[in-house]
Amino acid sequence: MTFKLLAVSAALIGFTMTGAVIPGICDEATPPAVKVAAASQAVTAPDFAGISNWFNSKPLNISDLRGKVVLVDFWTYGCVNCVNTLPHVTDLYAKYKDKGLVVVGVHTPEFPFERSASNVQAALKRHGITYPVAQDNDSKTWDAYRNQYWPAQYVIDQTGKIVFQHEGEGRYDEIDRTVAKLLNASS
């Protein structure tokens, strides 16, 4: 084995062991881009569809929430990444609920055990969730939003347009700034 081949082999083993990404080769590991739309280019938010249960609220629909800023948060209690975002979502709700923010958690199960209403209710209690949560067992709302990830957040402006979208953990300050900016614009 030549020295060059040995060095290349060691480098590949190192990338494999550390989970590093080789640009141009491992593009599938690139995190999804954050989508932010100008109001003129924004898509109207779909309504909540196929909801089997509502927790902490009567049934809601997007058209009745016009005039409010809405954060739709797709999650499921069995997803560790979703659970990691919940403190940020509940803090955002506490910070802005009296200023016009409505948070709607859309619990869309990934596994059969997550379909149980009593399990969802227990998760809401465990995580201190007091904002409305829709149980989307048949993924109808998930499909209406063309969502693909747990967790995912959609910020909807006062006219019902999706103006910010993010998949995964993080970007908490950016979500906060987007909500704050929209709420200040209406006051």
Side-chain angles (χ1 to χ4, degrees), residues 70-75 81-97 101-106 127-133 151-154 166 168-172 175-176 179:
V70 180
L71 172 68
V72 175
D73 179 45
F74 285 92
W75 70 292
N81 300 100
C82 297
V83 170
N84 289 343
T85 65
L86 292 177
H88 303 282
V89 176
T90 56
D91 288 350
L92 194 71
Y93 177 65
K95 184 175 181 179
Y96 294 114
K97 69 181 179 181
L101 174 67
V102 176
V103 173
V104 179
V106 178
H127 297 291
I129 297 171
T130 59
Y131 51 81
V133 173
Q153 300 82 33
Y154 296 79
H166 172 64
E169 294 185 50
R171 305 263 180 174
Y172 307 118
I175 295 169
D176 189 302
V179 168

Side-chain angles (χ1 to χ4, degrees), residues 25-97:
I25 296 174
C26 300
D27 290 337
E28 71 277 359
T30 305
V34 175
K35 297 170 186 115
V36 180
S40 62
Q41 300 171 342
V43 175
T44 300
D47 205 356
F48 305 111
I51 302 304
S52 54
N53 290 302
W54 282 92
F55 302 97
N56 303 329
S57 173
K58 63 179 180 41
L60 299 174
N61 63 63
I62 290 294
S63 61
D64 289 343
L65 297 175
R66 293 267 160 66
K68 304 274 188 186
V69 174
V70 180
L71 172 68
V72 175
D73 179 45
F74 285 92
W75 70 292
T76 185
Y77 72 82
C79 162
V80 81
N81 300 100
C82 297
V83 170
N84 289 343
T85 65
L86 292 177
H88 303 282
V89 176
T90 56
D91 288 350
L92 194 71
Y93 177 65
K95 184 175 181 179
Y96 294 114
K97 69 181 179 181

Side-chain angles (χ1 to χ4, degrees), residues 28 78 107 124 142 151:
E28 71 277 359
H107 185 275
L124 299 180
W142 174 283

